[in-house]
Amino acid sequence: MTLAALVSFLHLMAFAIGLPAIHLRAKFLRQPLDAAGLQRVFKADLWWGIAALLWLTTGPWRAFGSLEKGTEYYMSTWVFHAKLGIVVLILLLELAPLFALLRWRAEVRAGRTPDTSKARGLAALSHIELTLVVLAALAASFMARGFGLRAE
């Protein structure tokens, strides 16, 4: 029981970390991207990555690790499947920022100035991801209360 509470707490903390991080990443991507601006983007992105790591470890653990309601419960509600779809969409949308920011970091480490011409597009993707995170949280709230369960 204590482990379930701790994993649940970490899953919720990912939301507390991730939402402001993705918001700040989007905000900083729209600001001047000098050395200090890039560092702000990188720091926000790091926290977004920490949140993603928490979600991607605690989410499956909660759903499939026999900690809480059990796999059968989660698999029997369409809301869980919708939430999974949202998570997959976030992961797919994150591919462009992930690879762009990895390239930018490598350029900065090499002492070069990265091509940040796609920053506004990455900011727009970040805003879409932020919206999807909120929708995933909404789905989780309904799912936890049994909404969408199939009748046996």
Side-chain angles (χ1 to χ4, degrees), residues 4-152:
L6 180 60
V7 173
S8 178
F9 168 75
L10 291 173
H11 198 67
L12 290 172
M13 285 306 298
F15 185 77
I17 294 166
L19 204 59
I22 192 67
H23 167 74
L24 288 172
R25 186 179 80 178
K27 176 183 173 180
F28 296 150
L29 282 165
R30 293 184 183 275
Q31 295 177 353
L33 292 174
D34 55 9
L38 284 168
Q39 289 308 311
R40 284 190 294 273
V41 171
F42 296 157
K43 186 179 276 189
D45 186 61
L46 172 66
W47 284 105
W48 174 240
I50 290 168
L53 183 63
L54 281 171
W55 275 316
L56 293 174
T57 54
T58 60
W61 195 0
R62 292 180 75 198
F64 306 113
S66 301
L67 290 178
E68 306 208 10
K69 294 177 170 67
T71 303
E72 186 178 324
Y73 174 85
Y74 290 104
M75 296 306 290
S76 66
T77 173
W78 65 266
V79 180
F80 176 72
H81 296 279
K83 182 183 174 197
L84 280 181
I86 292 168
V87 169
V88 168
L89 185 54
I90 292 168
L91 291 171
L92 291 173
L93 290 173
E94 182 57 24
L95 290 175
L98 171 70
F99 290 119
L101 292 175
L102 285 173
R103 280 192 304 277
W104 293 6
R105 283 182 175 96
E107 290 289 318
V108 168
R109 274 193 307 275
R112 295 187 294 269
T113 302
D115 173 11
T116 59
S117 61
K118 296 187 189 268
R120 287 210 175 265
L122 298 176
L125 281 174
S126 297
H127 280 294
I128 293 167
E129 290 177 68
L130 184 149
T131 302
L132 291 170
V133 168
V134 171
L135 291 175
L138 178 65
S141 294
F142 276 85
M143 180 181 62
R145 281 142 191 89
F147 187 84
L149 284 171
R150 281 182 259 161
E152 296 293 323

